[in-house]
Amino acid sequence: MQPPLRLIIFDFDGVIAESIAMKAEAFRETFSFVPEYQDEIVQYHLDNGGMSRYAKFRYIYREILCQKLTGEQEQRLGDRYAGLVREKMYTIPLVPGATELLIAWSRLLPLYIVSATPEEEMLMIAEKRGLADYFAGIYGSPRPKADCIRNILGENGISPGEALFVGDAPQDLQAAVETGVRFIARVATGDIDRFSGCPGVEAVVADLYTLHAYLLSTPTDNTSTSR
């Protein structure tokens, strides 16, 4: 029997915000100077949703373009991509049920964001969207997600089995497995389900209304908040 749940960690893109398609298009535009490789680059981006953009840039140059990537080029790519997505992230729709879930569960348990988005950028998005107050902490790259999760467990003094990570990418599941926390996958209706039946996946939900209903049936310990 699992111990009561004492905190919840969320990825952001594809879990709280419906930003996957928009960011894929921004990745395509970032690499508009190599049109013959754009489809392969975008597919790599989509297949590695939980990875930082800079790690993707390095892989793309090394394995797809077979070119050396300088620090200056990497920064220009990062600036171009950020410029394409920044304003859109302030208005992109949230995943259905996100607002209701955050209002309800932020009153019961500490909630966290762990994202591959650069941390300063993630903090700004949460502030601009009016979401920051729902979270006890917001973490982003360049720190690996597993390191962020370990930090959250440590600062709350809880065991991995008392924490839940909600993600939408294989890298999110990997971070959950590495740290021992529970994992629920969000797979939007119509998307390919890469999680059902995988070891370590507790449940698969289509939206946050479904997650909210699932959590209501899960034992929790709402006396443990560190907020």
Side-chain angles (χ1 to χ4, degrees):
M1 183 176 178
Q2 292 176 324
L5 188 62
R6 295 177 63 187
L7 65 81
I8 307 172
I9 304 165
F10 298 87
D11 179 36
F12 192 76
D13 293 310
V15 173
I16 293 175
E18 292 283 29
S19 48
I20 299 300
M22 180 274 289
K23 286 197 166 184
E25 188 55 36
F27 231 84
R28 179 180 295 277
E29 181 62 24
T30 299
F31 285 90
S32 60
F33 58 92
V34 284
E36 67 274 27
Y37 293 106
Q38 280 177 302
D39 288 347
E40 185 177 358
I41 287 169
V42 170
Q43 190 59 55
Y44 177 76
H45 162 72
L46 290 170
D47 288 344
N48 294 275
M51 182 186 294
S52 84
R53 65 192 64 166
Y54 294 101
K56 292 176 185 178
F57 295 157
R58 291 189 284 272
Y59 177 92
I60 288 164
Y61 265 75
R62 184 178 67 251
E63 303 295 337
I64 298 177
L65 302 183
C66 299
Q67 297 178 20
K68 181 180 179 180
L69 177 65
T70 67
E72 183 180 350
Q73 287 172 315
E74 183 177 295
Q75 190 58 53
R76 281 204 304 268
L77 288 169
D79 291 345
R80 176 167 170 75
Y81 178 77
L84 289 167
V85 303
R86 186 176 294 114
E87 292 300 322
K88 293 177 182 177
M89 286 302 296
Y90 300 152
T91 58
I92 202 84
L94 299 182
V95 170
T99 301
E100 293 85 348
L101 182 144
L102 294 176
I103 290 171
W105 286 92
S106 63
R107 296 169 178 166
L108 299 173
L109 299 175
L111 308 182
Y112 289 83
I113 289 174
V114 170
S115 172
T117 298
E119 190 164 300
E120 184 177 346
E121 190 176 316
M122 188 65 253
L123 286 163
M124 186 179 299
I125 291 167
E127 288 285 352
K128 291 270 192 178
R129 296 299 304 253
L131 300 173
D133 287 346
Y134 296 126
F135 297 98
I138 296 173
Y139 292 76
S141 65
R143 289 184 285 183
K145 289 190 175 185
D147 288 354
C148 296
I149 292 171
R150 291 187 188 99
N151 190 78
I152 292 167
L153 297 177
E155 71 181 33
N156 284 274
I158 68 170
S159 66
E162 297 171 311
L164 170 68
F165 185 26
V166 185
D168 72 324
Q171 290 78 10
D172 296 332
L173 174 57
Q174 181 181 344
V177 170
E178 285 181 21
T179 56
V181 300
R182 296 160 60 180
F183 183 78
I184 289 179
R186 191 264 166 148
V187 178
T189 301
D191 285 357
I192 296 172
D193 182 355
R194 298 176 285 179
F195 296 99
S196 291
C198 291
V201 177
E202 183 172 325
V204 176
V205 298
D207 54 40
L208 297 193
Y209 287 120
T210 313
L211 177 62
H212 179 60
Y214 180 89
L215 291 173
L216 288 175
S217 67
T218 301
T220 62
D221 177 4
N222 58 15
T223 66
S224 62
T225 178
S226 65
R227 301 180 71 177

